[in-house]
Amino acid sequence: MAQPLQKIITSRYGGRNLPVTLVLPDGGRVPLSSEPEVEILARTWRGLKALAAPAMGALARAYVHNDIDFTGSARRVLAIAEGMVG
């Protein structure tokens, strides 16, 4: 994974202590907290774009189109997504 991309992700989400490890399309992993509970997988660069500027509609479309996926319960991931959007 390119260092600039990791810096952008960390600056965008790092201070929110989201219990997530973000898995990038190239396999790179970016933990956003010291104790992640779920993984959010950006399967495509389009999915990563949806995560870069998250809105619930964009995240839902990305999930339906298989551009992103996640581990864990949908309820927990929704709560985390609200933290990403806020």
Side-chain angles (χ1 to χ4, degrees), residues 7-59:
K7 287 181 182 180
I8 291 168
I9 293 167
T10 302
S11 70
R12 172 100 175 143
Y13 297 113
R16 299 183 189 192
N17 197 30
L18 298 168
V20 171
T21 294
L22 182 60
V23 181
L24 304 175
D26 67 1
R29 301 172 67 80
V30 182
L32 300 178
S33 79
S34 59
E35 297 182 26
E37 298 173 19
V38 298
E39 290 184 346
I40 297 178
L41 298 90
R43 295 186 182 278
T44 66
W45 294 107
R46 188 173 36 223
L48 187 60
K49 183 179 176 184
L51 290 166
M56 291 305 265
L59 293 173

